[in-house]
Amino acid sequence: MYSETPLLRWDIFCRVIDNFGDIGVCWRLACQLAQRGQSVRLWVDDPSALGWMAPEGASGVEVKRWTSPLDMTNITPGDVMVEAFGCEINPEFIAAYAYHISVKGQKCRWINLEYLSAEKFVLRSHGLPSPVMSGPGKGLIKHFFYPGFTAGTGGLLRETNLLERQANFDRTAWLEQQGLNWQGERLVSLFCYEPAGLGDLLEALAQDSPPTCLLVTPGRAKTALDAKLSDEKRLKCLWNKRNKLSFLYLPTLSQNDFDHLLWACDVNLVRGEDSLVRALWAGKPLVWHIYPQDDDAHVAKLSAFLDWLQAPASLCNFHMHWNGIPPAEAVHSRPDFLPQEWQMCAAQALKRLLAQDDLVTQLIRFIAKNH
Ligand SMILES: Cc1cn([C@H]2C[C@H](O)[C@@H](COP(=O)(O)OP(=O)(O)O[C@H]3O[C@@H](C)[C@H](O)[C@@H](O)[C@H]3O)O2)c(=O)[nH]c1=O
């Protein structure tokens, strides 16, 4: 029924709160819409990260500086407004949109794109309408769109050519480009905040593991690692005296190269929202450093994800320790790092996800069906 994809003009609004997840998700969304022939304007209050994340831009995506107030001279709103992560679109834009659709006799296509979660409320809330009760949008209806891991949610962002990109990826050549003369050591990527279990992991990798190279992303991950490495106690006992653990410090990578990093590594330590999804697409064992929230809302969110992942007990324990969350039951104080044991659930999760429609396919279908 929806085989004909309508070609629409999209306005995606993104406010950069902190870190790179907001712009990372919105950029992928914009590119993936454009990949399907949609015309996209991405309004972002701070586009600076796009300089390294997407240095080449993308055809079909126009990046616009989102100022407040927004100068509406020469701006005609498109057909669809996407308000990412409750970022609150300016009233002047909403007023112009309301006028535009009424003149064109179009229905309102206003999407509230929410954060990713595996919690049960997502199934209840995905797709719900939210009538606007006041302001210039009064009478319009927004719809909640929840990304998710299962049928009945909005799915996950996945480009149409993901599998082809992966099939054409040359691991050794890419590692060489990053300056790594790879001798077959185990490769582990590190993209995190300040994980509680980092010191213990470093010690474990230096003592009783196969030779491992940690590929360290810049920013908070590198700073957290440096702090652990300069820990005097550890230096005194020559913790890495057999040089089992080595490090490769990476520059900021483009989003495409960040994907390559995850495909090149045997284990991915990721964080936030977008890198978690990308690590799932990599199909390798992963450990998630969840974005910590003051009210501890992240604890339930992490448990729901681990349930969905069908994570074995060792992986659940490792996650709790890594995230500094006290375990429900008494477990070993330093859970083992056991990627071989975790590979199976990563592979099965990937299989389940590939069998579902991706987020953009679902979003376009949702727009066509409800509007
Ligand atoms: C390290 C690195 C990251 N990236 C990209 C990958 C992702 O798109 C993005 C990182 O985003 P995330 O993985 O989501 O992690 P994050 O911690 O940067 O973002 C977080 O921001 C908070 C405000 C949100 O509330 C969180 O939910 C989360 O989105 O940066 C690169 O492109 N190159 C790099 O070198």
Side-chain angles (χ1 to χ4, degrees), residues 346-368:
Q348 285 174 348
L350 175 61
K351 205 168 150 198
R352 291 200 298 279
L353 290 174
L354 285 174
Q356 292 171 26
D357 283 335
D358 66 280
L359 187 144
V360 167
T361 299
Q362 297 210 44
L363 183 56
I364 290 175
R365 190 187 300 143
F366 183 80
I367 291 284

Side-chain angles (χ1 to χ4, degrees), residues 18-22 24 52-53 193 253 255 271 273-275:
D18 63 357
N19 300 308
F20 313 123
D22 311 282
W52 49 267
M53 205 179 263
Y193 309 111
L253 302 170
Q255 254 188 359
R271 76 183 200 196
E273 175 163 334
D274 187 57
S275 57

Side-chain angles (χ1 to χ4, degrees), residues 74-180:
N74 300 327
I75 302 276
T76 308
D79 308 299
V80 190
M81 287 194 293
V82 178
E83 188 165 16
F85 313 124
C87 65
E88 297 197 0
I89 300 175
N90 304 45
E92 54 277 19
F93 193 94
I94 296 170
Y97 179 77
Y99 176 74
H100 174 70
I101 59 171
S102 74
V103 167
K104 288 184 88 179
Q106 280 181 357
K107 283 195 173 175
C108 175
R109 301 171 173 122
W110 183 353
I111 296 293
N112 212 330
L113 178 68
E114 287 293 336
Y115 286 105
L116 172 64
S117 175
E119 289 163 288
K120 295 266 185 298
F121 74 85
V122 168
L123 278 169
R124 291 194 301 274
S125 315
H126 175 58
L128 287 183
S130 167
V132 180
M133 307 305 280
S134 59
K138 191 172 173 190
L140 298 181
I141 298 181
K142 300 191 208 192
H143 282 88
F144 289 104
F145 197 92
Y146 279 84
F149 303 89
T150 54
T153 72
L156 299 180
L157 284 167
R158 182 179 82 227
E159 61 275 30
T160 49
N161 59 348
L162 172 75
L163 297 180
E164 196 188 323
R165 285 181 63 209
Q166 288 179 333
N168 292 330
F169 176 59
D170 183 338
R171 183 189 203 190
T172 312
W174 187 83
L175 289 167
E176 234 171 69
Q177 272 170 29
Q178 307 313 310
L180 183 67

